[in-house]
Amino acid sequence: MIKITNLEKVYRTDEVETVALNKLTLEVKEGEFVAVMGPSGCGKSTLLNIVGLLDDPDSGSFLFNGIEVAKFNERKRAELRKRNIGFVFQSFNLIDELTVFENVELPLIYTGVKSGERKKRVEEVLDKMQIMHRRNHYPQQLSGGQQQRVAVARAVVNRPKLILADEPTGNLDSHNGNEVMQLLTDLNEQGTTIVMVTHSEHDSRYSHRIIRMLDGQTVLENIMV
Amino acid sequence: MIKNYFKIAFRQLKKNKGYSFLNILGLSLGMACAMLILLWVNDEVQYDRFHKDYSRLYQVLENQAYDGKTYTFAALPGKFGPAIKQELPEIKYSARADWGSRVLFTLGDKSIYEVGNFTDPDFLKMFSFKLLKGDTATLLTDPTSIIITNKMAEKFFGKEDAMGKTLKVNNDKLYTIKGIMEEPPPSSTLKFSWLASFKIYEGQNQWLTQWGNNGIQTFVELNAGADARAVNKKLHDFISSKDTSAIAKPFLFSMNEWRLRNKFEEGKQAGGRIEFVRLFSIIAILIIIIACINFMNLATARSEQRAREVGVRKVMGAGKGMLIRQFFSESIFMSLSAMLIAALIVWLVLPSFNTLVEKKLSFDPGNPVISGGLLLMALFCGVLAGSYPSFYLSSFNPVTVFKGLRIGKNSVIVYVRKGLVITQFIISIVLIISTIIIYRQIQYVKERQLGYNKDNVLFTPLYGKMRGHYPAIYNELMATNVVENVAASNNQVLSIGSSSGDFSWEGKIPNSQLLVSMEWVSPQYVPAMGMKLASGRNFYDDITSDSSSIIVNETFAGIIGKKDPVGQIITRGNGRKLTIAGVVKDFIYNDMYRKPDPLILFCDTSNVNELAIRLKANRDISKAVSKIETVIKSNNPAYPFEYKFLDDEFNDLFKSESLIGKLSRVFAFLTILISCLGLFGLAAYTAERRTKEIGIRKVLGATVPNVITLLSKDFIRLVVIASVIAFPLAWWMMNKFLQDFAYRIAIQWWVFAVAGLLAVAIALFTVSFQAIRAAVMNPVKSLRTE
């Protein structure tokens, strides 16, 4: 599903040049659950942004489902992204002015799903995440675990093939963290590919494969048994 | 989708109450202000448009050239109107009219003065004044009948039908009411309470038969398809073809322009009220722009808070276009809310505004023009105010905003925001300067040395038999002991109407033409008005001994150019010789801004219309007036006593200038208020953003004044930059404005200093509130919140 070859990304400010990705090569197959680990500043988040089509690489090749997307412009990336990729963030990134229902509904609005169908699908996924009773609440009224469940619901409502999770349990206690990891595992078992960036060895054990990064390169791969 | 946009817009409003309040208040004030101005502008533009054929209706004016100077008049010979209708096929209708006569109407013991016109029957056919009763075909043909307005009819007859009834006119003849007309609407240039046949006026004024005597108004309607330019060509020499000595060159003056473009200079149109219409339209747009700038600034200042939302939406699949639409919906939602409040404000202040501008403007949102205008204005504001924030906010990159967006000191948006604040203050400062200069100019002219004393003089018209009794009235008034002096004259001193080019004197350049104003006065006129003689003597008290003596003003004496003008002979066109008995020091009449034109005073009371009575100083005015009333009434019992004070009339001359002055003060105040609302909000965000910095500074030893200076400095710098740009701009504009006045003030530097300091002071006051709040905050608290 994802085939990355010699990918490079350099951030430049007036005086400093930071190499975030240094000729990185990586492959993720459909249905895999991959954890990306490494120290701060090793390029994990940059990798996730590029894989998530939020950012573009400076050079190298990125095949997404066999299509070369490294040179896609913003509009094409957005189009591909909204139909194929779901995101889960460490800080949830829910919109404070929208209710739980409306937050989850958002991706469907942007992909042009009709209102009746939207309602059905949002309710279905809220039910699955067991937060149906909170549908009319605003994010500030929820606990961290509940917020992340809403975020996961939002990530899956569009039935994406790929979910990218950036430290999904970073802001949660261990109980809530485990619940979210279980949700991701369930999704993976139902066929969704998952790439997760994490600092937590505990969380990484939910994955099939751990990729360790250092200074913009992959240095080690562990296959989980 | 739209529903979703508006939902979010509404929740944003609710969540940021303070911000929304500032934004909507500023925008509503700006919109209300613009609405009022546009109502006024619309009223001005709609003048006379109720006439069905307004595009084919004209008044005929004429130019007269004197020694290189061209004057424009509305006065035409009495024979002109009928002659052009007969001779020019393009003229469909033509109607002559006098200048509006004030006539006393009596029914039983009820006597009321009403102003109306003597005019030709075509008047009813060309203008769309509504005839309620009567027959257009026969009205104004017979010299014993009259048309009155419904309002006048009600005054005399109440609810009774006035048709066929009679009214006594000037205590003389009875006129039968044969027509009832609706009162001319407020938007009509022509105003009258009655209309009567022009034949009556012709019978009283024999000079109407002369081609060289210009004395009445003429209105025409052209046939459909007739070319006004072709008609003008034929009109140009029409009068001189009838009388070779006549110099009047007639031309058509379209009804479209009566209201707004009625100023003529050197025979050419030179604006008029249209300048006010333009000025105020520009002000309306500027005020709207200022209010929209507030919106843009506050919206972009809040961008750090909105950035995460933009990021999330983009990650969820929103394209830039969708986000732009979302932010536009928000600003349009905001401006629609502001419009509702603005409409409420307009509804509340319209009565006061009407008093201020002396109009009867109505604000009816049921009127599609009004509601359409409101909606258009809201959309315009929403799009203008939302434009920059929409494009700016929607351009955020999710990757950057999730990392934590901090807008640097040097980023483009900061410069744009500063530029917008500078723009607001440029407008404010220019308005402050203009307000001061306009006010000073008006005061300057009002305090001009007039050459006579306008205080304690009351005017009363000489009606009925009073003219014949003038010597007796004079003596009786002098005997009241409240009167210092009395004089009679043809016109009031503020508006001397007659003029002629028909004079010659020894040494006059042959064939040169000089237009000389003429006034007929009683012997005591010069001393009674408080005028001073430069040389020679005043008229003798015995009128008959001075029948061929004149007094000229200094301007005329200067033109004659003799060392001693007294004793010089001036010859009229008809050969009559007049001797200059005295020279009166120049006094200001007609145009308060110009030097007086040359003038001759004749000693002749046979045609006087006005009695000027100078009261003794420091007397009880109401007692003095009642004593005068007794005298006048005893000499003219059939007429009610009416009077006006000269200084009131004088102040009336500055009505439109005073209005401009008042309005510019109101608008300047509002502009500054709206700008300050924006500045206040901006200062709040700056203080909020710098909370941590302020905390650290305070921990390191910064005092409260240090912090206030830190926060205010940036804003004050913007106001100073605005001043530097505003000063030359205001100077240029005001210099142009003052060019229109021959008698004008010089622009002084202190006006700029005052305006600049005022703007800085206002800005400082606005910003310091937030600065002090931030400065006195406990640093422990502010550091913890970060």
Side-chain angles (χ1 to χ4, degrees), chain A residues 11 49 54-55 74 78 81-82 85 87 89 91-99 102-103 105-107 109-110 138 154 158, chain B residues 1 4-5 7-8 11-12 15-16 306 308-309 311-320 322-323 326 397-399 402-403:
Chain A
Y11 291 109
N49 287 336
L54 293 172
D55 209 351
E74 158 78 31
R81 179 172 69 225
K82 69 182 177 189
I85 306 173
F87 289 84
F89 302 94
S91 51
F92 324 133
N93 279 335
L94 298 172
I95 295 177
D96 295 340
E97 287 76 24
L98 299 182
T99 62
E102 289 160 352
N103 263 293
E105 188 189 21
L106 209 57
I109 292 177
Y110 289 132
Y138 287 92
R154 185 180 61 181
N158 230 351
Chain B
M1 195 78 107
N4 188 281
Y5 292 156
K7 195 159 65 191
I8 301 227
R11 289 183 193 160
Q12 280 285 350
K15 193 180 159 201
N16 304 285
R306 293 298 295 272
R308 200 175 58 98
E309 180 196 333
V312 173
R313 285 181 183 274
K314 281 200 168 175
V315 170
M316 294 304 127
K320 201 173 167 179
M322 291 181 191
L323 288 169
Q326 180 192 333
N397 181 346
V399 176
F402 290 147
K403 272 190 196 151

Side-chain angles (χ1 to χ4, degrees), chain A residues 21-27 36-37 42 47 211-221:
Chain A
L21 297 179
N22 187 6
K23 297 208 180 296
L24 182 132
T25 299
L26 173 76
E27 192 171 347
V36 180
M37 298 190 73
C42 70
L47 174 65
I211 297 169
R212 297 199 185 261
M213 282 181 70
L214 188 65
D215 296 339
Q217 290 176 313
T218 54
V219 288
L220 192 70
E221 284 198 28

Side-chain angles (χ1 to χ4, degrees), chain A residues 36-41 44-45 48 88-92 148 164-172 180-181 184 195-200 203:
Chain A
V36 180
M37 298 190 73
S40 288
K44 301 183 301 279
S45 296
L48 206 65
V88 179
F89 302 94
Q90 176 179 357
S91 51
F92 324 133
Q148 195 61 303
L164 298 175
D166 193 352
E167 303 208 32
T169 64
N171 283 5
L172 301 176
V180 167
M181 286 316 298
L184 291 177
V195 176
M196 173 180 74
V197 163
T198 182
H199 278 296
S200 155
D203 288 357

Side-chain angles (χ1 to χ4, degrees), chain A residues 185-199:
Chain A
T185 309
D186 294 348
L187 286 168
N188 179 245
E189 280 166 5
Q190 287 154 27
T192 314
T193 311
I194 293 180
V195 176
M196 173 180 74
V197 163
T198 182
H199 278 296

